Amino acid sequence: MKTLFVEDTPKKIGQEVELYGWIYSKRDHKNIIFIDLRDRTGIVQVVGDEKLKFLSFGDVIYVKGVVKQRPQKLVNPKIKTGKIEVESKELKVLAKSETPPVDISKENLEVSLPTLLDYRSLTLRHPKIAAIFKVQETVIDAFRESLKKKQFIEFQSPVIIPQTAEGGADVFEVKYFGHKAFLSQSPQFYKQIMVGVFERVFTVNKTLRAEPSVTSRHLSEVTTLDAEFGFIDSWTELMDMAEYIIKFIFEEVKKRNQQELKLYNAPLPKVSEKIPRLKLREAQEIVFKRTGRDNRNEPDLQPEDERELCKWSLEEKNSELLFISHYPVSKRPFYSYEDPEDLGYTQSFDLLGRGLEWLTGGRRITDLSTLLKKAKVRNIDIQKSELYLQAFRYGMPPEGGFSYGSERVVMGILGLSNIREASLFPRDMERVDIRLSSQKQGDNGVFEKIKKLLDDAGVKYEVMKHSPVYTSEEASRVRGTELKQGAKALVMFADKKPIMLVLPADRKVNTKEFKSKHKIRDLRMATAQEVKDVTGVEIGAVPPFGNIFNIPLYVDETVGHNKIIAFNAGEHTKSIKLRFEDFKKAALPVMSQFANEI
């Protein structure tokens, strides 16, 4: 078994050592060959003769050699072992590597996000990419440690549930031995049940949401850090606990991840002695005064509002974090506690960090009769919630809790541009390890059908051929259009029948609003295979023409805010651009309102 690691070598100058690891890079100087050997603790330079010539990137080797001091002019200050090298005496190849598709020996991994994820098993080996998950480990470990210091007990929450905790439609349905079940959106019900057992509980949990959105901030599967506790005197104690936790996390990252922070040139977020707290309406008033954007009647903050508020907080309060509280009752889940001194608004809150929501939480309703009334209004099946309701039938103290998104915290700390970078193996609408859309392009006949439809309608249009695109952001770049001009076509099932919804690429579907407007009981996203079955087209390349596929077509009115729109035309390598009014003439859609800002 391996007993010595790369990080130990500087302490072994003049001694013979045995090392195991991967070839990270090789430099051939004719009679002298240098290799960088990587293991989980770092990189060390190994020097040898022509016997090292046959080695290549990724080879797994055993090397025996003597640790020597490097000449002063060859010291590498960028790595921990930069003052020493190992002179090779004996070497064995334990496993050969194929030629890699990307070069990860560079200081910065210069690849696109899709490539980064397509070759995840390889790109994770890059020190800078691996560093992200060292920070994530610290964040999760510190969350646990901070709560254990406050006498919280950890529990494991189930992933398969009888119904959703939040009563929404953005949920994954699974077949369960002849019955219908769901993948958990939240451990909420189980957190509250466990408060009745241990008073203070937490869980590190997988949560899954079937939100039809492809953005830099959303994933279908995330690791949430959830806490819940009882016997509170005031709902503000929940914010106090959340503040204690995030400050504890920052301290641990500061202690344990200096090297990782340095790789990203990422100072820890500035936090004031007490994190600022605003009500939603106060926050929206600040945004209006600073920017002129009037979102004062909106039930939630827009992404640009979150960014503006964090700027304000840094400028005015010297804090890159701030709490926003008192969201409308209609916006929060049925179990949220209404503020008796501010009716219509809940004792709930979000924590914003560096322009992004990191946490959501609040006080919960613990009176059974009130809970039953609220559940009925939200169409929560009381029978399926009996286990949850038992906790309140038999006595529940005043309580509340919150949930951090671990990926968002890491994204914020390191200044990453996309949440997928902070997820080891991200799941979204377009990826489960591999891209759900096929990389192999072929003629599916849809492109010709679109052309015929447009020609018959007598409209002008532009065909664009380009490299394959798999996200709205990629598509807008290659087309030279704004993101909002992309007409995003989603195949969904409404009461078990396929339909198509079209909305701007910078917006997401408000399923509740669509169901209400069109009197639909059940609405869900089609799977990748169902999309292929309905349209014959890979997910991500579906054009916004329901009439081609003989399914109802609904187009959100905000698509028409653009004079020109563009969309993938049945293939990932072809797009069409045309006037919105001409699109309407050919597509004959039902115009509606069902899109929210992402």
Side-chain angles (χ1 to χ4, degrees):
M1 184 176 71
K2 177 175 176 175
T3 57
L4 186 75
F5 293 87
V6 161
E7 68 178 3
D8 302 320
T9 52
K11 304 170 189 174
K12 304 289 184 180
I13 295 174
Q15 299 180 39
E16 189 173 76
V17 296
E18 294 180 326
L19 296 172
Y20 296 82
W22 290 262
I23 302 297
Y24 187 65
S25 67
K26 184 176 75 172
R27 297 171 295 284
D28 192 336
H29 296 278
K30 294 185 179 179
N31 296 329
I32 300 177
I33 296 174
F34 297 94
I35 61 172
D36 287 335
L37 182 71
R38 176 187 69 85
D39 74 2
R40 70 177 182 83
T41 64
I43 291 172
V44 66
Q45 179 171 282
V46 178
V47 59
D49 55 23
E50 67 276 358
K51 293 176 184 176
L52 305 185
K53 276 185 179 292
F54 68 94
L55 295 174
S56 56
F57 173 86
D59 290 349
V60 183
I61 68 167
Y62 155 84
V63 62
K64 181 189 285 188
V66 177
V67 180
K68 294 189 173 183
Q69 195 97 32
R70 284 199 205 189
Q72 186 62 37
K73 62 181 181 180
L74 298 179
V75 167
N76 181 356
K78 293 182 178 180
I79 58 175
K80 295 177 183 178
T81 62
K83 293 182 179 181
I84 61 98
E85 62 188 10
V86 177
E87 187 178 289
S88 173
K89 301 295 184 184
E90 182 183 337
L91 183 141
K92 293 178 184 175
V93 176
L94 306 180
K96 287 292 291 179
S97 169
E98 296 181 9
T99 302
V102 296
D103 182 3
I104 70 164
S105 64
K106 295 181 179 179
E107 184 176 349
N108 292 301
L109 192 53
E110 297 169 357
V111 297
S112 66
L113 181 61
T115 300
L116 179 80
L117 301 179
D118 286 344
Y119 298 103
R120 199 60 162 159
S121 299
L122 175 63
T123 57
L124 281 169
R125 297 181 183 185
H126 189 279
K128 195 169 179 180
I129 305 304
I132 297 170
F133 302 101
K134 287 185 179 180
V135 173
Q136 188 178 67
E137 181 206 20
T138 301
V139 168
I140 294 173
D141 192 42
F143 173 77
R144 283 191 165 106
E145 188 179 346
S146 67
L147 287 169
K148 286 180 178 180
K149 286 180 180 291
K150 296 290 187 181
Q151 298 181 307
F152 280 68
I153 290 177
E154 184 173 8
F155 77 102
Q156 283 70 50
S157 183
V159 175
I160 299 173
I161 58 173
Q163 70 172 333
T164 65
E166 299 178 7
D170 298 332
V171 63
F172 291 107
E173 183 181 321
V174 296
K175 295 177 182 177
Y176 196 75
F177 303 109
H179 299 275
K180 184 191 294 187
F182 304 93
L183 298 181
S184 175
Q185 285 177 307
S186 161
Q188 184 59 44
F189 285 1
Y190 304 98
K191 285 196 299 179
Q192 292 185 261
I193 290 171
M194 295 307 295
V195 166
V197 182
F198 294 124
E199 298 183 20
R200 297 183 168 200
V201 296
F202 72 92
T203 181
V204 176
N205 197 72
K206 288 292 185 185
T207 60
L208 301 110
R209 291 178 180 268
E211 288 183 308
S213 61
V214 180
T215 78
S216 61
R217 308 182 309 146
H218 291 87
L219 287 170
S220 298
E221 177 183 296
V222 295
T223 301
T224 55
L225 313 177
D226 286 83
E228 198 87 6
F229 58 103
F231 296 102
I232 60 173
D233 294 321
S234 167
W235 69 281
T236 59
E237 293 171 25
L238 303 168
M239 284 191 288
D240 294 339
M241 186 67 76
E243 180 169 335
Y244 153 74
I245 290 168
I246 198 63
K247 287 180 175 178
F248 190 99
I249 287 172
F250 288 166
E251 282 301 313
E252 289 302 301
V253 171
K254 183 179 178 180
K255 283 185 214 171
R256 294 159 54 177
N257 297 116
Q258 279 300 315
Q259 188 66 28
E260 289 74 28
L261 293 172
K262 195 178 297 182
L263 281 172
Y264 281 87
N265 191 26
L268 284 166
K270 289 184 179 179
V271 187
S272 50
E273 185 176 347
K274 191 170 185 65
I275 294 176
R277 301 176 181 186
L278 295 172
K279 287 186 177 182
L280 174 66
R281 285 155 288 167
E282 295 171 330
Q284 289 171 327
E285 191 66 39
I286 288 171
V287 171
F288 176 63
K289 287 179 180 177
R290 284 171 64 92
T291 70
R293 289 195 306 270
D294 193 356
N295 294 324
R296 290 175 292 180
N297 293 320
E298 294 295 322
D300 202 352
L301 293 172
Q302 306 301 319
E304 61 269 26
D305 296 344
E306 294 175 349
R307 290 189 285 270
E308 189 63 39
L309 287 165
C310 285
K311 287 180 187 176
W312 170 87
S313 182
L314 180 59
E315 292 168 11
E316 300 294 330
K317 306 293 182 180
N318 198 34
S319 175
E320 292 183 83
L321 277 68
L322 77 156
F323 285 105
I324 306 296
S325 71
H326 287 78
Y327 289 84
V329 170
S330 59
K331 179 65 180 174
R332 292 281 145 146
F334 77 95
Y335 48 76
S336 300
Y337 193 94
E338 187 172 7
D339 191 335
E341 297 180 1
D342 197 354
L343 295 178
Y345 296 90
T346 55
Q347 291 183 344
S348 65
F349 54 90
D350 288 347
L351 176 64
L352 307 184
R354 288 184 168 173
L356 187 67
E357 178 195 312
W358 288 12
L359 165 147
T360 188
R363 183 177 175 182
R364 323 301 189 191
I365 296 169
T366 52
D367 175 72
L368 180 61
S369 62
T370 304
L371 199 60
L372 289 170
K373 289 176 186 175
K374 297 282 187 179
K376 186 176 181 181
V377 170
R378 298 292 184 89
N379 296 316
I380 302 296
D381 189 328
I382 301 301
Q383 188 176 359
K384 289 182 179 178
S385 301
E386 178 55 33
L387 195 68
Y388 170 66
L389 296 172
Q390 280 179 13
F392 304 95
R393 294 187 194 282
Y394 305 119
M396 182 66 74
E399 61 92 14
F402 45 80
S403 176
Y404 276 101
S406 68
E407 292 88 355
R408 287 195 175 189
V409 173
V410 173
M411 183 182 173
I413 289 174
L414 294 178
L416 305 177
S417 60
N418 194 299
I419 196 168
R420 286 152 189 77
E421 297 176 74
S423 175
L424 266 175
F425 307 107
R427 271 79 174 113
D428 58 27
M429 283 179 65
E430 298 173 341
R431 184 180 298 275
V432 179
D433 284 353
I434 61 172
R435 299 188 199 191
L436 299 177
S437 51
S438 171
Q439 296 184 40
K440 184 178 180 181
Q441 299 300 312
D443 182 8
N444 51 35
V446 170
F447 177 69
E448 294 302 322
K449 289 180 181 178
I450 298 170
K451 285 187 65 179
K452 186 176 186 307
L453 185 70
L454 297 176
D455 289 340
D456 289 347
V459 302
K460 293 181 179 180
Y461 57 93
E462 178 186 348
V463 175
M464 292 176 283
K465 295 182 180 180
H466 46 70
S467 58
V469 292
Y470 298 92
T471 68
S472 299
E473 289 83 359
E474 286 180 332
S476 65
R477 281 196 296 271
V478 300
R479 296 171 187 153
T481 56
E482 294 182 63
L483 183 61
K484 65 182 181 180
Q485 290 179 284
K488 179 168 59 178
L490 302 177
V491 177
M492 305 188 78
F493 279 81
D495 295 333
K496 300 183 179 180
K497 295 180 180 179
I499 63 171
M500 181 180 289
L501 305 189
V502 177
L503 62 161
D506 65 343
R507 291 180 172 252
K508 65 178 182 179
V509 174
N510 182 330
T511 52
K512 287 183 181 177
E513 188 169 349
F514 184 83
K515 286 167 65 178
S516 175
K517 282 182 180 295
H518 299 283
K519 297 181 171 48
I520 293 168
R521 288 173 295 175
D522 181 60
L523 182 69
R524 67 172 180 84
M525 285 292 297
T527 65
Q529 186 56 53
E530 287 171 336
V531 170
K532 188 73 180 289
D533 292 342
V534 171
T535 67
V537 175
E538 301 289 349
I539 191 171
V542 178
F545 294 95
N547 45 350
I548 287 178
F549 310 114
N550 296 313
I551 58 176
L553 173 66
Y554 299 86
V555 173
D556 188 80
E557 289 182 356
T558 54
V559 178
H561 293 175
N562 302 288
K563 288 184 179 179
I564 302 294
I565 64 170
F567 46 84
N568 275 11
E571 300 175 27
H572 293 283
T573 56
K574 290 179 183 176
S575 293
I576 285 178
K577 187 162 66 171
L578 79 171
R579 293 175 63 250
F580 173 73
E581 290 302 321
D582 288 336
F583 161 74
K584 270 179 67 176
K585 184 177 177 182
L588 302 174
V590 175
M591 298 302 296
S592 185
Q593 292 179 326
F594 53 80
N596 286 344
E597 289 194 34
I598 293 173

